[in-house]
Amino acid sequence: MNNSRLNTNADTSQMMSQYLLEKAERCFAQWRIRFQSLQNTQQIHNYQVLLQQELIKSIGAFPERTPLNSIITGTIERKGFKVEKILFESQPYFYVSAVLFLPDSKNFRPPYPTVLVPCGHAVNGKAEPRYQKACALLSLNGIAAMIFDPVDQGERLQFLDNDRTAPISCIESHFMAGMGAILLGQNIARTMIWDAMRCLDYLQTRTDINSNKFGVMGNSGGGTLSSYLVCLDERIKAASPSCYITNFDKLLTTIGPQDAEQNLFGQIQKGIMHADYLIIRAPVPILICATTKDFFDINGTWDTFRYVKKLYTLLGHPEHIAIVEDNTKHCYSQRLREASVQWMLRWLCGRDVNISEPAIDILSKEEIMCTSKGQVMQLENAVSIYDLNRKHVKQLALRRQKITREKIRDLAGITKIADLSMPVISVIEQGQPERFVIATEHGICLPASKYIPSKVSAKKALIYLNENGKSCYESKQMIQSYLENGFAVLAIDLRGIGETMQNKQKVPIPFFGPDREDFYLAYLLGKSYIGMRTNDILSCVKLLKNEFTKIHLHAVGSQVGIPALHATACEPDLFEEVIIAKTLKSWSCIIEAGLLECRFTNILHNALTYYDLPDLMTIAGLNLIIQTPIDFTKTDSIFKS
């Protein structure tokens, strides 16, 4: 980074985006080299097995199968098909609302091939007209179709206001529940995929369903789930993901990382790209549906198709992979629905015919309800995804053993101070304070200010960190206090803080801070903001040790306090005293609170399997002082600050 950036009106908020994109580009280049090395069926098979294993690790191991306790709550007849309304438990008391569209038995004899149609991000879930039309079109052509409400959509709102509505959108809700899942080493996609798999389990119990002929097709978020399901469930014999498949290269440089279930931990670093979703079970027949005006870049879609077509050709089945596009915006258009149904007829029924969608009499929101009151959380003993997370975190707490510093470093990506390179300083402005930047690694320059007291009582220095930046009013007051007590003060903006704080989200979503997209880009790379910021702190300590014998640390706010706590726990002998104020009391309280305002950069993937923040306080030593910790469970507001 050009140091002059900090003296101009240039945008410094993109430092982390640029830094992470550069690392992603290296992963893309490595993926292309690995893909080109696949030259025979054995190499492809080995690649598929490895990818599937890594995909499951990134999502989190699935729960055990428990009784479905399914019931049919109603049946509605329509011309050419009927609809059965179903409730079942994908996990104990975790209710799924679903409907099954069945062909008219006078026109088509059971058992029927069946296609699962996962919903995209429609607040009304399975009631969404386009998704209903897709299911009905399948049934009118002799294929049963099942559609279910994802969590926080339709009848599965996980948190209800008094008027039985959700206080936030389904996308925001997925991020909320996804935050807890990350701390548990999972992804909210795990719950969604498991719900879909249990739909297939239910279908296998029915005599009117052909369990050997399952397919999956869905749009947008449903396209995501369709892609996951064809990868992970061998019962799927044909798939058609719509308005989702592109490639990460185009995705990250256009709209950026998307919804919680679409970002899996470390998948870019591991080399799991969009093309791999279509490769893992090749040569299963897959039709990619796309629109030319989608925010999922169509050029990336075609790039991915060409890669996959090459591999399917190597396997001797080039006809098993195809693409169709419609000249429209992001939606499940009639043309895409028709193409998907035609694909399912070809591969599940052996019928290759043109499909034309007639006028369809869809069900109203009231007609399609599976519950009497309209929400599964109003059923007796119903549990939410937040309840599942709470139960899991309590189980982990009982199993946890004493954490080691080695394990903390491994999970967070923290480097021993002895192994860190000496940072490089570039002075911007002399004086009091002296302004400069500290280059801790390639692409990362931390804005810093150094204050020298008029009377130095000892060779003692303080590193001062504030999540609102080194120049905020609180920082100025605190720095002056330390100067009056004879401390030399180094005030630093850690990466993504203060002058380098991200402020231009492509898709702004409240509650999670301005750096949500950068967090998820780092997450896709298997990198932790906590670990990176901890390394920044340790690099600055390494710099000061050349000049000062006694180093103190004062951090204010969770964004800097949690990294400061990690630095203290991993290297307790570095500091004379550490004061951490207004920082998160524990990660467990995030899960316990459920709905809250919290920055994603405050959390660490899989941390609660091994330790919580109080465990760090225990091993940090007696020189640690925690002031006014934040406990999300102790406030009255649904959205805690």
Side-chain angles (χ1 to χ4, degrees):
M1 184 177 81
N2 187 329
N3 294 335
S4 64
R5 288 178 61 192
L6 297 172
N7 266 337
T8 70
N9 293 322
D11 183 8
T12 61
S13 70
Q14 300 305 302
M15 182 185 78
M16 283 303 296
S17 297
Q18 294 166 4
Y19 167 81
L20 294 167
L21 282 171
E22 182 177 323
K23 291 191 175 298
E25 285 295 337
R26 294 174 192 165
C27 294
F28 301 151
Q30 292 170 359
W31 182 89
R32 289 189 286 268
I33 292 170
R34 184 169 68 164
F35 182 86
Q36 295 298 337
S37 71
L38 302 175
Q39 298 295 325
N40 58 57
T41 55
Q42 187 58 52
Q43 290 175 337
I44 293 170
H45 173 72
N46 293 342
Y47 182 65
Q48 290 172 316
V49 171
L50 177 62
L51 282 177
Q52 191 177 67
Q53 291 172 347
E54 292 297 334
L55 186 60
I56 292 173
K57 287 179 185 177
S58 294
I59 292 169
F62 294 113
E64 63 176 346
R65 277 183 163 82
T66 51
L68 290 166
N69 298 323
S70 61
I71 57 171
I72 296 173
T73 64
T75 301
I76 294 180
E77 298 284 345
R78 284 291 193 266
K79 185 179 179 180
F81 63 92
K82 72 175 181 178
V83 178
E84 291 185 359
K85 301 188 285 187
I86 300 158
L87 284 172
F88 68 85
E89 301 171 29
S90 64
Q91 299 180 61
Y93 299 105
F94 189 59
Y95 290 101
V96 177
S97 45
V99 291
L100 179 60
F101 287 69
L102 291 165
D104 189 335
S105 59
K106 296 176 184 177
N107 300 325
F108 301 97
R109 296 184 62 183
Y112 306 115
T114 305
V115 173
L116 194 63
V117 184
C119 294
H121 290 101
V123 66
N124 54 348
K126 65 186 181 308
E128 169 62 33
R130 288 190 178 98
Y131 303 151
Q132 283 197 58
K133 287 180 180 180
C135 294
L137 186 58
L138 285 161
S139 295
L140 290 170
N141 286 278
I143 298 177
M146 191 171 196
I147 185 169
F148 67 97
D149 288 322
V151 291
D152 278 309
Q153 293 173 241
E155 293 181 83
R156 297 186 70 201
L157 302 184
Q158 301 294 286
F159 184 94
L160 299 175
D161 278 344
N162 293 332
D163 59 355
R164 296 186 299 173
T165 59
I168 54 178
S169 74
C170 60
I171 293 174
E172 292 161 346
S173 296
H174 292 167
F175 278 122
M176 288 283 186
M179 183 174 291
I182 288 171
L183 286 165
L184 300 172
Q186 302 170 357
N187 188 289
I188 191 176
R190 169 184 181 266
T191 300
M192 296 180 173
I193 296 166
W194 188 243
D195 288 345
M197 289 179 169
R198 298 314 315 266
C199 284
L200 298 183
D201 290 348
Y202 167 77
L203 291 168
Q204 286 183 312
T205 69
R206 297 180 59 121
T207 58
D208 57 350
I209 299 298
N210 187 339
S211 299
N212 295 316
K213 293 186 176 181
F214 285 149
V216 63
M217 60 186 242
N219 186 70
S220 190
T224 305
L225 193 52
S226 297
S227 302
Y228 290 154
L229 206 61
V230 70
C231 289
L232 299 172
D233 199 314
E234 294 187 357
R235 293 172 292 183
I236 298 297
K237 307 302 182 185
S240 179
S242 175
C243 288
Y244 171 63
I245 293 295
T246 179
N247 64 22
F248 276 115
D249 190 1
K250 293 292 191 295
L251 183 71
L252 298 182
T253 54
T254 53
I255 56 174
Q258 288 300 287
D259 304 319
E261 67 272 23
Q262 296 173 331
N263 306 308
L264 305 180
F265 180 67
Q267 70 176 110
I268 290 179
Q269 184 269 331
K270 294 175 181 178
I272 305 174
M273 306 300 172
H274 278 215
D276 295 308
Y277 296 149
L278 313 179
I279 288 171
I280 285 178
R281 289 194 55 237
V284 168
I286 299 177
L287 172 69
I288 304 169
C289 290
T291 57
T292 57
K293 300 172 185 178
D294 201 338
F295 45 76
F296 288 110
D297 190 274
I298 188 68
N299 297 304
T301 308
W302 277 99
D303 287 346
T304 288
F305 172 71
R306 293 184 186 101
Y307 278 113
V308 180
K309 188 74 167 182
K310 177 180 178 180
L311 187 140
Y312 269 67
T313 302
L314 278 174
L315 292 174
H317 295 282
E319 75 283 4
H320 283 203
I321 186 73
I323 188 170
V324 62
E325 66 177 23
D326 193 5
N327 187 30
T328 186
K329 61 183 180 180
H330 180 89
C331 72
Y332 212 6
S333 69
Q334 180 175 329
R335 180 171 293 178
L336 297 185
R337 297 194 299 268
E338 291 170 343
S340 296
V341 172
Q342 182 172 338
W343 187 258
M344 295 301 161
L345 282 170
R346 177 184 298 170
W347 296 109
L348 298 181
C349 304
R351 293 161 48 204
D352 204 352
V353 295
N354 289 328
I355 296 298
S356 180
E357 182 180 286
I360 295 173
D361 183 14
I362 63 172
L363 279 65
S364 69
K365 180 180 177 182
E366 290 71 28
E367 285 179 309
I368 207 168
M369 280 184 181
C370 301
T371 59
S372 60
K373 295 183 179 180
Q375 289 297 329
V376 298
M377 286 305 298
Q378 294 175 316
L379 297 172
E380 187 176 2
N381 298 321
V383 298
S384 70
I385 192 168
Y386 299 105
D387 294 324
L388 295 178
N389 285 347
R390 291 177 187 120
K391 179 180 177 181
H392 193 171
V393 76
K394 289 174 182 176
Q395 293 171 339
L396 290 176
L398 293 174
R399 294 201 298 262
R400 281 201 296 262
Q401 299 179 352
K402 185 177 180 180
I403 188 66
T404 65
R405 292 186 172 92
E406 290 72 22
K407 189 63 180 179
I408 296 168
R409 293 190 187 100
D410 179 58
L411 282 171
I414 299 169
T415 304
K416 290 183 178 180
I417 189 169
D419 297 329
L420 287 169
S421 299
M422 181 62 71
V424 177
I425 290 180
S426 298
V427 176
I428 300 297
E429 183 181 352
Q430 300 281 358
Q432 175 74 331
E434 181 182 39
R435 296 177 61 240
F436 51 91
V437 293
I438 304 172
T440 57
E441 60 175 305
H442 176 73
I444 297 297
C445 290
L446 308 180
S449 297
K450 185 178 179 181
Y451 299 79
I452 302 299
S454 56
K455 295 181 180 180
V456 181
S457 59
K459 298 262 309 176
K460 60 182 183 180
L462 172 88
I463 294 176
Y464 181 78
L465 312 169
N466 192 301
E467 67 176 7
N468 294 317
K470 58 180 172 41
S471 300
C472 73
Y473 180 73
E474 182 181 26
S475 296
K476 292 177 180 178
Q477 283 189 314
M478 193 64 66
I479 289 168
Q480 183 59 39
S481 174
Y482 276 107
L483 286 172
E484 291 172 358
N485 283 280
F487 282 87
V489 179
L490 180 63
I492 308 163
D493 285 339
L494 302 183
R495 66 183 75 196
I497 299 290
E499 293 184 52
T500 63
M501 181 181 71
Q502 174 62 264
N503 60 14
K504 293 183 179 180
Q505 288 192 81
K506 296 165 185 170
V507 184
I509 294 179
F511 316 129
F512 310 113
D515 43 21
R516 172 184 55 83
E517 290 172 358
D518 281 351
F519 165 83
Y520 266 117
L521 178 49
Y523 189 74
L524 287 162
L525 290 163
K527 295 182 73 65
S528 152
Y529 257 76
I530 291 171
M532 291 186 288
R533 286 172 172 168
T534 301
N535 285 338
D536 288 343
I537 294 171
L538 296 177
S539 291
C540 292
V541 172
K542 190 162 190 167
L543 184 67
L544 286 179
K545 283 176 71 69
N546 288 334
E547 186 177 354
F548 297 94
T549 57
K550 296 181 179 181
I551 298 174
H552 295 237
L553 176 62
H554 191 154
V556 180
S558 296
Q559 291 287 288
V560 294
I562 295 174
L565 181 58
H566 279 75
T568 309
C570 289
E571 305 272 1
D573 296 332
L574 290 179
F575 305 101
E576 288 290 310
E577 182 182 70
V578 176
I579 299 174
I580 301 176
K582 303 176 186 177
T583 195
L584 192 61
K585 177 182 178 181
S586 71
W587 284 317
S588 298
C589 76
I590 292 177
I591 293 178
E592 186 63 32
L595 295 185
L596 73 163
E597 287 187 26
C598 183
R599 299 277 282 274
F600 273 105
T601 44
N602 285 336
I603 65 174
L604 175 66
H605 182 78
N606 205 25
L608 287 173
T609 299
Y610 298 95
Y611 69 100
D612 202 348
L613 297 178
D615 298 316
L616 298 184
M617 299 172 191
T618 298
I619 68 171
L622 298 177
N623 61 344
L624 172 65
I625 299 171
I626 303 292
Q627 297 176 340
T628 58
I630 297 170
D631 185 348
F632 287 124
T633 66
K634 301 298 183 184
T635 66
D636 296 327
S637 173
I638 291 173
F639 301 116
K640 290 106 180 163
S641 59

